[in-house]
Amino acid sequence: MTAGGRERWRRRAEGVVGELRERGVVAVAVTWVDTGGIVRVKTVPVQRFPHVAAWGIGASPVFDVFLADDSIVAGRYAGGPVGDLRLHPDPDRVVTLAAMPGWAWAPADRYDQDGGAHPHDARLLLRRLVAELAEEGWSVRAGFEVEWVLGRPAADDRFVPVTTAPAYGMARVVGLADYLRDVMAALGDSGVSVDQVHPEYSAGQFELSFAATDPVEAADTLVVARETVRAVSAAYDMRVSFAPKVVHDAVGNGGHVHLSLWRGGINAMSGGAGPFGLTEAGECFTGGVLGHLPALMAVGCSSVASYLRLEPSHWAGMFACWGRENREAAVRYVGGCPGERERAANVEVKCFDATANPYLMLAGVLAAGAAGLRDAVRLPAPVDIDPGALTPAQRAAAGIDALPGTLAEAVAAFEADAVLGKAFGAGLVDTIATVRRGEIAALAGLGPAEIIARTRWRY
Ligand code: GLU
Ligand code: MG
């Protein structure tokens, strides 16, 4: 944050603060997402917004090594009581929170007191990777899907679904019509462009998907949308969980992301001579993402509980393969209908969940895709069956591997991944690995039911 940058952000914040006040805003929530995917916050009165856009809000760097249960681990490059960072709310992304009257929200970029970019700041990292791709003439459009379950307040921390009406059933929409309308209205009023909302498979489960945008905006949208769902749910006295697994024997909550690669207004995911019409670049980008998926799991599936979600035949994408409209493949090619393919074709990464820091996860995906472009990585043969229906020997013969089955395996793949290591830098890699090992140690020796119970209400 240079002197010129401070002045620019102050002026932009001055430019919006009047409108925020007219809309009744009293306070601004300034958030960042920690290494383990929890959204952390500081808040300021609205009149301080221009000042803090320029000079930031003080926050300890120790949050980089927080665990989901708020305990703190010691990293080699992060942690400890000493030091201060500045949270600079992005004045171009501030929105009023319709579900929280009197509140606005802005995502922060984290700098040090001298204006140096914090090397562990996930949003700045994602910005840098977007810029690096842009230098090569590429842009990526990303759109998240998010799933959550709604529970009734229960005496203990059990999950009691608010509805057991059928999966995808209209009865579920009828039963929760006011709530779902309020979610959609609040999102619209907060500037979030919703593609669709529907009841999902598990009891009390719903899903929202968003229009594709620039990756930083997509991650911002995911943050504000989840907190909006949380706020509307609280107003209806319902408990909400975005955790990857909420009940041991039920389908979990995914956090899938759709990606397309663009150059000069043309979508590289269609109109080419490759499989299903992928262009060569579209294939290479997708091949890069697929090839680095075991390592990417360490940023896309950040919790121990994440790996309990990844079961065969649960549409969670636990196999390291790709296929056209194959909901059991980690990478699903979504071609769209003829006539809109040029615009709509994309690939969906299905294995990730909402414990991901969306900025870190997209940064990893962009680094992997860019490496695929650079190295002209080709995709293996697409898979058009449920790999979970094959025997291990049949899967081996078909060259289909399962993705890491534990957080420890994902961390090992992550630490061994030179592409992600170069993009993230040694300090951030070490910090992420330290936090993940902390999560593993915090839940060591516990069975699945206890791991799920401890994770359920943290996300
Ligand atoms: N709930 C599934 C998951 O864990 C995803 C269902 C779907 O394909 O939307 O990812
Ligand atoms: Mg779904």
Side-chain angles (χ1 to χ4, degrees):
M1 179 70 57
T2 58
R6 289 189 202 280
E7 188 45 27
R8 253 194 324 279
W9 276 33
R10 193 192 59 73
R11 257 190 275 118
R12 281 194 214 160
E14 287 287 5
V16 293
V17 81
E19 192 192 324
L20 294 177
R21 296 181 86 151
E22 264 163 44
R23 300 186 76 175
V25 170
V26 174
V28 186
V30 179
T31 64
W32 74 102
V33 185
D34 77 10
T35 312
I38 304 270
V39 178
R40 310 272 177 186
V41 69
K42 295 255 177 143
T43 74
V44 291
V46 69
Q47 59 273 19
R48 289 202 74 224
F49 185 59
H51 178 80
V52 299
W55 295 100
I57 306 167
S60 166
V62 79
F63 293 111
D64 287 338
V65 284
F66 261 50
L67 303 186
D69 68 0
D70 297 336
S71 57
I72 298 167
V73 290
R76 256 195 303 163
Y77 297 85
V82 178
D84 192 49
L85 294 171
R86 311 300 301 175
L87 306 173
H88 292 259
D90 184 340
D92 292 329
R93 286 293 290 151
V94 65
V95 291
T96 50
L97 290 178
M100 289 167 59
W103 284 88
W105 163 88
D109 287 340
R110 294 182 300 161
Y111 291 85
D112 63 25
Q113 290 173 341
D114 297 324
H118 177 45
H120 299 167
D121 187 72
R123 195 166 183 266
L124 287 174
L125 173 68
L126 180 56
R127 279 186 192 276
R128 175 162 63 74
L129 286 155
V130 167
E132 282 175 18
L133 269 172
E135 271 165 34
E136 308 290 321
W138 297 109
S139 64
V140 167
R141 295 182 68 72
F144 280 97
E145 292 181 8
V146 61
E147 296 176 327
W148 73 98
V149 294
L150 289 171
R152 290 184 201 292
D156 48 24
D157 271 346
R158 260 175 327 129
F159 172 66
V160 182
V162 297
T163 168
T164 49
Y168 306 94
M170 181 62 188
R172 231 186 254 187
V173 174
V174 172
L176 287 155
D178 291 350
Y179 166 79
L180 291 170
R181 179 207 56 221
D182 286 356
V183 166
M184 280 198 253
L187 288 169
D189 287 350
S190 301
V192 173
S193 183
V194 172
D195 263 4
Q196 99 167 250
V197 181
H198 67 264
E200 254 294 342
Y201 191 82
S202 277
Q205 192 178 35
F206 291 88
E207 172 177 326
L208 253 174
S209 43
F210 310 108
T213 60
D214 158 82
V216 177
E217 190 178 339
D220 290 342
T221 296
L222 181 70
V223 171
V224 70
R226 275 202 310 239
E227 300 315 314
T228 295
V229 167
R230 208 186 296 283
V232 177
S233 306
Y236 280 82
D237 205 19
M238 297 190 287
R239 287 192 99 174
V240 63
S241 175
F242 297 95
K245 201 77 169 160
V246 179
V247 177
H248 188 29
D249 53 3
V251 169
N253 290 320
H256 313 171
V257 64
H258 292 259
L259 303 158
S260 52
L261 177 73
W262 295 72
R263 166 171 244 153
I266 306 219
N267 181 1
M269 297 306 182
S270 90
F276 313 127
L278 278 167
T279 67
E280 193 180 327
E283 178 176 353
C284 295
F285 183 89
T286 307
V289 174
L290 180 61
H292 288 275
L293 267 189
L296 288 169
M297 300 287 281
V299 284
C301 293
S302 303
S303 71
V304 174
S306 295
Y307 297 80
L308 300 171
R309 164 182 161 257
L310 296 168
E311 294 181 81
S313 310
H314 279 53
W315 289 14
M318 64 164 282
F319 292 103
C321 60
W322 78 291
R324 180 184 204 166
E325 296 295 1
N326 187 342
R327 288 177 170 79
E328 282 298 327
V331 176
R332 165 188 172 207
Y333 178 72
V334 183
C337 309
E340 69 155 8
R341 218 160 251 168
E342 298 71 22
R343 181 191 60 76
N346 68 82
V347 292
E348 178 189 27
V349 182
K350 289 185 66 78
C351 49
F352 300 148
D353 64 54
T355 65
N357 172 323
Y359 305 96
L360 276 185
M361 182 265 268
L362 280 176
V365 163
L366 261 50
L373 286 169
R374 215 167 33 241
D375 301 340
V377 171
R378 304 322 289 243
L379 281 164
V383 171
D384 62 0
I385 47 159
D386 176 358
L390 301 177
T391 64
Q394 287 170 322
R395 276 199 296 273
I400 304 171
D401 292 323
L403 286 167
T406 63
L407 184 54
E409 282 173 45
V411 172
F414 176 66
E415 287 184 301
D417 191 300
V419 165
L420 297 186
K422 184 152 182 280
F424 283 37
L428 182 54
V429 167
D430 183 80
T431 301
I432 292 167
T434 301
V435 167
R436 302 294 182 266
R437 280 196 270 272
E439 297 289 1
I440 294 165
L443 299 170
L446 301 178
E450 187 59 24
I451 291 169
I452 292 164
R454 294 205 191 185
T455 310
R456 187 182 289 141
W457 302 116
R458 302 303 293 172
Y459 296 94

